[in-house]
Amino acid sequence: MTAQGQPRYRGVFPVAPTVFTDSGDLDLDGQRRAIDFMIDAGSHGICILANFSEQFVLTDAERESVQDAVLEHVAGRVPVIVTTTHFGTAVCAERSRRAQEAGAAMVMIMPPYHGATFRVPEESTFQFYQRVSDAIDIPIMVQDAPVAGTPLSPAFLARMAREIENVSYFKVEVPQAAAKLRTLIELGGDAIEGPWDGEEAITLLADLDAGATGAMTGGGYPDGIRQIMDPYEAGRREEAVEAYGRWLPLINYENRQAGLIAAKVLMKEGGVIKSEAVRHPLQPLHPKTRAGLIETARRLDPLVLRWAR
C-alpha cells in the first residue's frame, strides 16, 4: 500500500500479445509497436507472458527475449507485470527473481500448474508462494483461473495475503468471480491490496461492484475498458453501466468467439503489427469469425483500428 492507504497499482492492465512473424519467429519490433499502442490507448500498466500472450508456446530463451525487450522499451512509462508461472517452485522463484532484476513491477503466478487435473495439496501451494515471495521484493499477483485446475478458496487466499509478505494482488477469473472477490475482501481486509477482474472483462461490472480495483483484459482496446473503469472510479456508476453495455458485444466476441488471437487480429487490421500469427497447434480465426470481430469493433471506433493510420 502507499502511505495514503491506496493500492500501488490499480486500473486497466491489459495482457500484451506475443508478436510473431508469419513464419512463427519472434517479431520484437512488432512487439515494441504493440506496447506503444497499448500505452497510447490508456493502459495504466501492461502484463506480459500471460496465457493470453501464448506463454505456453515459448522457449525459456524466447521468454527472456520478450521480457527484456518489453521492459527496456517501456523504460518506466507504465508498470509491467511479468507472468512467471511454472510448476516447479525453484523455477518459478528464479523466473520471478529475473523479472524483478529486469524491472518488473509485479509478477503474476498461477498455483503449480501442469494440466488441469495435476494438482498439489493446499499446504504445498502455500509453501510454493512463500518460497517465491522469499526470493523477491515486489508484489505477487495470484492468478485464480480455471485453467490451473487447483481450487483456491477465499479463506486460503486471504490466509496467504496475511501470512506471505509479497502476496497482495489477486486476479479472480473463475465462475461467480464477483462473489469470490467480495468474500476475499471481507476475509482479507487490508491485506488484499489488489482484488482484480480478469477473463477479458466479461464480468467487469459485477466485479467492480464487488470491490475490484483493477482489470486485466485483452490488449486490443484498453481505451474501451477505460471508458468503463474511469467513470466507475469517479463515482459515476450509471455512465460506467452505459459504457459497459456499449463495449460488451466486443468483450463477448473476444471472450466467447475469438480468444487470445483477438488482440492480434485487431492490431493487424489497424496496422499496429504486421502479422496476427499464432503458433501451432493454435489456429488462425475462421475468416467469418475474423470478419465478425472486426465488424463488431468498427462500430466502437477503438484506437487500435486507427493508431497506425
Side-chain angles (χ1 to χ4, degrees):
M1 291 281 188
T2 64
Q4 291 75 34
Q6 294 296 315
R8 285 163 285 186
Y9 306 112
R10 64 189 304 149
V12 180
F13 277 64
V15 173
T18 299
V19 182
F20 303 119
T21 65
D22 284 340
S23 61
D25 297 323
L26 290 180
D27 178 2
L28 294 180
D29 287 338
Q31 189 74 57
R32 296 181 185 97
R33 282 175 60 81
I35 295 297
D36 285 339
F37 152 71
M38 291 172 67
I39 293 174
D40 287 350
S43 302
H44 293 107
I46 291 171
C47 178
I48 62 173
L49 299 173
N51 292 331
F52 251 45
S53 312
E54 297 173 76
Q55 58 89 10
F56 37 74
V57 300
L58 300 177
T59 67
D60 287 349
E62 287 173 331
R63 287 179 53 88
E64 291 278 314
S65 294
V66 171
Q67 174 181 280
D68 292 347
V70 169
L71 288 167
E72 180 179 344
H73 186 65
V74 170
R77 286 179 286 167
V78 296
V80 176
I81 300 172
V82 177
T83 306
T84 58
T85 295
H86 196 278
F87 184 82
T89 303
V91 177
C92 186
E94 177 58 25
R95 281 184 174 183
S96 301
R97 184 192 62 77
R98 175 70 184 86
Q100 176 179 304
E101 290 179 350
M106 188 189 308
V107 292
M108 182 170 73
I109 306 169
M110 287 194 298
Y113 170 67
H114 186 69
T117 62
F118 203 96
R119 303 176 181 178
V120 300
E122 188 171 274
E123 191 56 33
S124 295
T125 299
F126 184 94
Q127 294 168 4
F128 170 84
Y129 282 104
Q130 178 70 72
R131 293 180 187 183
V132 175
S133 177
D134 290 344
I136 59 176
D137 301 310
I138 57 177
I140 295 171
M141 175 175 284
V142 177
Q143 183 178 5
D144 183 15
V147 68
T150 298
L152 300 169
S153 71
F156 178 62
L157 294 176
R159 176 196 167 202
M160 290 204 295
R162 290 191 302 268
E163 298 181 17
I164 302 177
E165 182 175 2
N166 293 312
V167 172
S168 50
Y169 286 77
F170 301 85
K171 179 187 176 186
V172 177
E173 44 190 345
V174 296
Q176 290 80 54
K180 189 166 189 176
L181 283 166
R182 189 174 290 109
T183 302
L184 175 62
I185 293 167
E186 291 172 355
L187 294 176
D190 291 343
I192 311 300
E193 183 171 355
W196 281 25
D197 166 86
E199 205 182 4
E200 300 78 71
I202 194 70
T203 61
L204 178 57
L205 188 63
D207 293 345
L208 289 172
D209 285 341
T213 58
M216 188 176 290
T217 63
Y221 43 96
D223 48 326
I225 305 302
R226 284 287 302 266
Q227 290 178 30
I228 304 165
M229 291 281 289
D230 288 358
Y232 195 99
E233 284 283 302
R236 303 191 304 273
R237 186 177 183 279
E238 285 306 309
E239 182 181 337
V241 170
E242 191 277 331
Y244 180 68
R246 189 169 64 250
W247 285 89
L248 189 56
L250 183 56
I251 292 169
N252 183 71
Y253 215 102
E254 178 177 33
N255 179 259
R256 303 298 295 174
Q257 305 297 327
L260 62 81
I261 197 173
K264 290 187 176 186
V265 168
L266 294 171
M267 290 183 186
K268 169 65 162 51
E269 185 71 15
V272 178
I273 60 178
K274 295 179 180 179
S275 175
E276 63 196 57
V278 291
R279 280 185 170 172
H280 197 271
L282 297 177
Q283 299 289 329
L285 283 186
H286 188 282
K288 290 189 176 180
T289 304
R290 188 187 191 281
L293 173 66
I294 298 302
E295 178 188 37
T296 304
R298 287 201 185 283
R299 293 194 181 101
L300 297 159
D301 191 33
L303 181 62
V304 68
L305 297 180
R306 45 190 171 79
W307 181 82
R309 304 304 187 193

